[in-house]
Amino acid sequence: MTKYVFLDTETTGLDPHKGNHRIIDLACIEYEDFTPTRHVFSLKINPEGKKL
């Protein structure tokens, strides 16, 4: 039995030092023996870009 967790990110750009780019979404999906286990994690991180 082999388990994998795939991480996906969504960003507003590629360089946080130029243009104020940032991560706005994180997601993880677990697979066991090449089959999704239905264990999913998803998080939105200030997608509107409001100052906190």
Side-chain angles (χ1 to χ4, degrees):
M1 171 173 54
T2 304
K3 286 189 180 186
Y4 296 95
V5 176
F6 293 93
L7 171 67
D8 179 42
T9 61
E10 184 175 341
T11 66
T12 60
L14 297 176
D15 190 347
H17 303 292
K18 296 178 182 176
N20 199 26
H21 300 158
R22 52 200 167 72
I23 296 173
I24 59 172
D25 187 33
L26 292 174
C28 295
I29 302 173
E30 181 184 61
Y31 279 73
E32 188 174 296
D33 292 329
F34 304 104
T35 304
T37 63
R38 297 182 153 215
H39 292 138
V40 176
F41 172 81
S42 181
L43 175 67
K44 301 274 188 226
I45 305 170
N46 193 17
E48 290 85 25
K50 295 178 183 174
K51 298 276 184 184
L52 298 177

